[in-house]
Amino acid sequence: MAALGELIGIDDRTVLVLGQELDVERGQPDVGNALVHRAGDTLVVVDTGVTAAFRAALREAMDRVGPWSRALFLTTHGHPDHVANNDLADELGVPVEHCVPAPDLDQMRDPDSYWVRSFERIAGAAPLPPPALAGPRLVSLFQPYRPFGATTRTYEERPLERIRIGSARFTGWTFAHGAVRVLRSQGHCAGHVIVHLRDSGVLHLSDEANGACGAMADADQLKIQSVLGAVALLFEEGEAAFLTDGHTFAVRRGAETVVPYLDGLLEQAAALQAAALELAGGDGPVRPGEFTARYAEACAELGAGGANPSVMFTAMMAVNQLRELGLRPESAEADAPWSRPALHDRPPGARPSAG
């Protein structure tokens, strides 16, 4: 088992700082992995995690990749396990730039509301406390929580760039004279970005690889799958050599390792949707609680529960999967049945014609 704050050297100027898994019952927050890199005289820190212990590990990694005379902090998305130590940027005593995704500002300012809304979606589908209690309880694990520093700005305050890497095309922003590329992905949540370190050949997926089906209320399944395919292409073409992410405590090296892993996630995504379609059955209503229990079994069989499998995240994935299948809740009540919206141009249950 990896230890919180363990350092994995990728090369002499790039270090992955390992986080830890979520354990709500033990009061343990999950901590997203962070990437520390030096591009010329610029220190690059991708995400800052949470807890004082992780903060100390970041400082150790910064010393290891030095020397540097300026710093660039890049936030991949706004979840507490990736942003709580962001004020570390204020302590370095050098010129610093810190960027966060604009679509995630609201959840960074008010994480309680974000997680209350997330739990309201699965009320009755998982054995959790009422959302108004469960949201703040979860957020309380992520202390101290300091997502903004004196230099924090949004990526979107910079002109959007078209970025070509090999035959793949992205939009995003470049830093350090093009050595650092921030690529918009927006699958795991509304503002998510991934990071490509040109000179080290590192592609940091952060949480876009956290399971085959996105769990968050603002997840976009198509974008998750599209970015996994685009990243696989970068490795096939030799534009990237090392894959890191937010919650897998390892560095994946080389196309022969990375591409099968990414293809596996895409295969799991298709298999999960097929399983969900079978579990939902014909045209009748579906109870989220019953569906979630059976969906959890399918996730276990496919090994597709994500990096932090739990009852909470499985229920969130299950609700997203129902929506992906075109079902909608019939009311706002907890565990209200979901069904397909009526198509008024044909009788209920009738099949479309072949023509």
Side-chain angles (χ1 to χ4, degrees), residues 310-328:
S310 69
V311 171
M312 174 182 74
F313 285 123
T314 299
M316 293 167 70
M317 289 170 58
V319 168
N320 280 353
Q321 198 78 74
L322 285 173
R323 190 167 291 278
E324 280 288 293
L325 296 179
L327 280 70
R328 299 293 183 267

Side-chain angles (χ1 to χ4, degrees), residues 189-244:
C189 63
H192 201 290
V193 299
I194 62 176
V195 178
H196 181 243
L197 304 178
R198 182 193 64 198
D199 299 335
S200 292
V202 176
L203 194 294
H204 186 67
L205 269 176
S206 193
D207 284 10
E208 295 293 18
N210 194 3
C213 176
M216 303 303 162
D218 51 344
D220 187 311
Q221 311 304 328
L222 174 59
K223 289 178 179 177
I224 292 173
Q225 294 161 23
S226 296
V227 76
L228 294 178
V231 169
L233 180 62
L234 296 184
F235 280 87
E236 287 176 334
E237 294 185 344
E239 298 291 343
F242 303 94
L243 184 73
T244 58

Side-chain angles (χ1 to χ4, degrees), residues 257-326:
T257 298
V258 172
V259 173
Y261 167 68
L262 297 175
D263 282 347
L265 287 173
L266 291 171
E267 290 168 4
Q268 286 181 350
L272 271 179
Q273 184 145 342
L277 186 61
E278 182 176 351
L279 293 174
D283 293 330
V286 178
R287 288 281 181 183
E290 297 174 4
F291 177 84
T292 296
R294 298 164 66 198
Y295 184 79
E297 295 174 0
C299 285
E301 290 175 4
L302 292 168
N308 269 320
S310 69
V311 171
M312 174 182 74
F313 285 123
T314 299
M316 293 167 70
M317 289 170 58
V319 168
N320 280 353
Q321 198 78 74
L322 285 173
R323 190 167 291 278
E324 280 288 293
L325 296 179

Side-chain angles (χ1 to χ4, degrees), residues 58-237:
L58 285 174
R59 295 303 297 260
E60 181 182 350
M62 293 175 189
D63 291 340
R64 180 182 292 194
V65 304
W68 35 267
S69 58
R70 61 184 62 248
L72 172 65
F73 278 58
L74 302 172
T75 293
T76 62
H77 63 292
H79 292 158
D81 55 316
H82 293 259
V83 306
N85 283 323
N86 277 354
D87 68 320
L88 177 60
D90 296 342
E91 299 179 359
L92 303 185
V94 299
V96 177
E97 184 176 8
H98 173 218
C99 292
V100 302
D104 289 352
L105 282 179
D106 286 345
Q107 62 156 302
M108 294 171 71
R109 292 191 187 103
D110 185 8
D112 283 12
S113 294
Y114 179 85
W115 286 98
V116 167
R117 290 193 298 272
S118 295
F119 292 145
E120 286 173 344
R121 299 172 67 246
I122 60 171
L128 297 173
L133 298 177
R137 178 187 176 191
L138 178 67
V139 173
S140 71
L141 301 180
F142 298 88
Q143 300 298 326
Y145 178 72
R146 303 186 183 103
F148 303 113
T151 64
T152 303
R153 300 291 184 271
T154 63
Y155 294 109
E156 286 76 7
E157 293 176 51
R158 302 169 61 97
L160 187 66
E161 302 174 47
R162 292 178 296 167
I163 301 172
R164 181 165 180 168
I165 308 174
S167 62
R169 293 163 173 81
F170 301 89
T171 57
W173 303 271
T174 59
F175 300 84
H177 306 291
V180 179
R181 294 141 166 184
V182 174
L183 312 174
R184 295 199 303 168
S185 56
Q186 301 179 337
H188 177 68
C189 63
H192 201 290
V193 299
I194 62 176
V195 178
H196 181 243
L197 304 178
R198 182 193 64 198
D199 299 335
S200 292
V202 176
L203 194 294
H204 186 67
L205 269 176
S206 193
D207 284 10
E208 295 293 18
N210 194 3
C213 176
M216 303 303 162
D218 51 344
D220 187 311
Q221 311 304 328
L222 174 59
K223 289 178 179 177
I224 292 173
Q225 294 161 23
S226 296
V227 76
L228 294 178
V231 169
L233 180 62
L234 296 184
F235 280 87
E236 287 176 334
E237 294 185 344

